[in-house]
Amino acid sequence: MSRRRISAEQVVITSFLVDLSDVVFNVIVAVLSGSVVMLSQALQGGADLLTSALLLVGLRQSRQRPSLLYRFGHGRELFFWVLMAGVSMFILTGTLSTYFGVQRFLHPEPIDNLWLSLGALAIGLVTNSYAFKLSFRRLQESEGAESFLQIVRHSSLIETKATLFLDLMGASASILGLLALGLYLLTGNLRFDGLGAIFIGLTTAVLAVGLISSVKDLLVGRSANPELEAKIRSAALEIPGVEEVLEIHTMYLGSERLLANIDVHMASGLTTDEL
């Protein structure tokens, strides 16, 4: 029995709920512990929550019907909202976490309730890893059995790609936080708290730039990958009367919508009705 296909709403809503729990839990732990790593986790969760909300707005807007003003519909609007999500990730988490981390590194302070912080980070790692797995499964279902890098490079499911980046960022931040606070516990060096926040901020910034770069190509008008265009060419050649495919021009109009302009050479002697 085949598994039910994962929908765009399922991955975005799952990421939203994970981010909401991260924000609530990490804010409480940050206040109780005074750890700047946990503050970075809360900032990262807040940025992710905003990003997930923007993705939900983008999904809804992109499904509006075509009109006289928007002949091809609103599918490309999703690309805009993902771009806004990437910018918010970079600013809210990347820069602020790095700033607070530098301040704590220069002016270290002890952490209260350290084990509570470690427990919160472990829970965050589990929840973000689950959401990441869900997003990756949807991309695999769409693109076939490809490597992680191939899926990220070629997939047009930009909302799922965005949640993949969000969940990867959350899991990476949890791992870096566990490493930083673990070293703090082992060595007693107060500066590891600040270093953890700095690395969380820098990692988030790199992932945000990757997401922005990915959606930029779709905004500009990226065509389908060569493998997909080859399938379109083969399908066109199967139509009776088509002797040659001269040119194919493609452009993504949304997450799962592709515009294909095909120039073909037809067999001679065909009537208008046959054409």
Side-chain angles (χ1 to χ4, degrees), residues 29 70 75 79 87 101 104 116 123 205 209-210 224 232 264:
V29 175
Y70 298 96
F79 303 157
V87 172
R104 180 56 59 90
L116 179 62
I123 293 173
V209 169
I232 295 173
V264 298

Side-chain angles (χ1 to χ4, degrees), residues 37-52:
V37 162
M38 298 311 302
L39 176 60
S40 296
Q41 288 290 107
L43 288 171
Q44 181 264 326
D48 287 1
L49 185 64
L50 174 61
T51 300
S52 300

Side-chain angles (χ1 to χ4, degrees), residues 69-116:
L69 191 58
Y70 298 96
R71 297 286 188 177
F72 293 103
H74 295 254
R76 290 171 63 85
E77 185 169 346
L78 180 60
F79 303 157
F80 166 79
W81 289 106
V82 174
L83 177 64
M84 294 298 99
V87 172
S88 69
M89 286 167 57
F90 185 89
I91 295 175
L92 291 180
T93 306
T95 58
L96 289 179
S97 293
T98 303
Y99 170 78
F100 288 123
V102 169
Q103 293 300 312
R104 180 56 59 90
F105 182 81
L106 296 175
H107 309 287
E109 296 181 12
I111 300 174
D112 298 322
N113 301 305
L114 181 58
W115 288 104
L116 179 62

Side-chain angles (χ1 to χ4, degrees), residues 6-163:
I6 302 170
S7 66
E9 288 84 357
Q10 187 176 351
V11 295
V12 175
I13 292 174
T14 298
S15 185
F16 180 85
L17 294 176
V18 168
D19 298 333
L20 181 61
S21 65
D22 283 348
V23 170
V24 174
F25 199 27
N26 289 326
V27 165
I28 294 173
V29 175
V31 172
L32 293 176
S33 66
S35 169
V36 75
V37 162
M38 298 311 302
L39 176 60
S40 296
Q41 288 290 107
L43 288 171
Q44 181 264 326
D48 287 1
L49 185 64
L50 174 61
T51 300
S52 300
L54 291 176
L55 290 177
L56 288 173
V57 171
L59 277 175
R60 181 177 179 182
Q61 293 293 102
S62 68
R63 289 174 178 170
Q64 295 182 71
R65 293 183 177 181
S67 63
L68 291 175
L69 191 58
Y70 298 96
R71 297 286 188 177
F72 293 103
H74 295 254
R76 290 171 63 85
E77 185 169 346
L78 180 60
F79 303 157
F80 166 79
W81 289 106
V82 174
L83 177 64
M84 294 298 99
V87 172
S88 69
M89 286 167 57
F90 185 89
I91 295 175
L92 291 180
T93 306
T95 58
L96 289 179
S97 293
T98 303
Y99 170 78
F100 288 123
V102 169
Q103 293 300 312
R104 180 56 59 90
F105 182 81
L106 296 175
H107 309 287
E109 296 181 12
I111 300 174
D112 298 322
N113 301 305
L114 181 58
W115 288 104
L116 179 62
S117 299
L118 291 171
L121 290 169
I123 293 173
L125 177 59
V126 172
T127 56
N128 281 281
S129 296
Y130 170 76
F132 175 85
K133 181 180 178 181
L134 196 67
S135 298
F136 187 66
R137 269 182 52 199
R138 172 167 161 76
L139 291 175
Q140 277 189 316
E141 288 174 356
S142 173
E143 302 297 326
E146 298 185 35
S147 69
F148 175 80
L149 291 179
Q150 287 176 317
I151 288 175
V152 170
R153 185 181 301 117
H154 296 311
S155 178
S156 68
L157 302 181
I158 191 62
E159 81 293 326
T160 308
K161 196 184 294 187
T163 60

Side-chain angles (χ1 to χ4, degrees), residues 226-242:
E227 291 81 6
L228 181 53
E229 289 194 348
K231 291 180 181 179
I232 295 173
R233 183 183 298 272
S234 297
L237 289 172
E238 292 178 2
I239 299 173
V242 175

Side-chain angles (χ1 to χ4, degrees), residues 188-237:
N189 191 331
L190 302 180
R191 285 188 167 85
F192 277 118
D193 187 33
L195 278 175
I198 292 171
F199 281 113
I200 289 173
L202 294 177
T203 302
T204 299
V206 170
L207 291 174
V209 169
L211 178 60
I212 292 170
S213 175
S214 180
V215 75
K216 184 266 294 181
D217 292 338
L218 292 170
L219 277 169
V220 172
R222 198 192 84 191
S223 60
N225 62 67
E227 291 81 6
L228 181 53
E229 289 194 348
K231 291 180 181 179
I232 295 173
R233 183 183 298 272
S234 297
L237 289 172

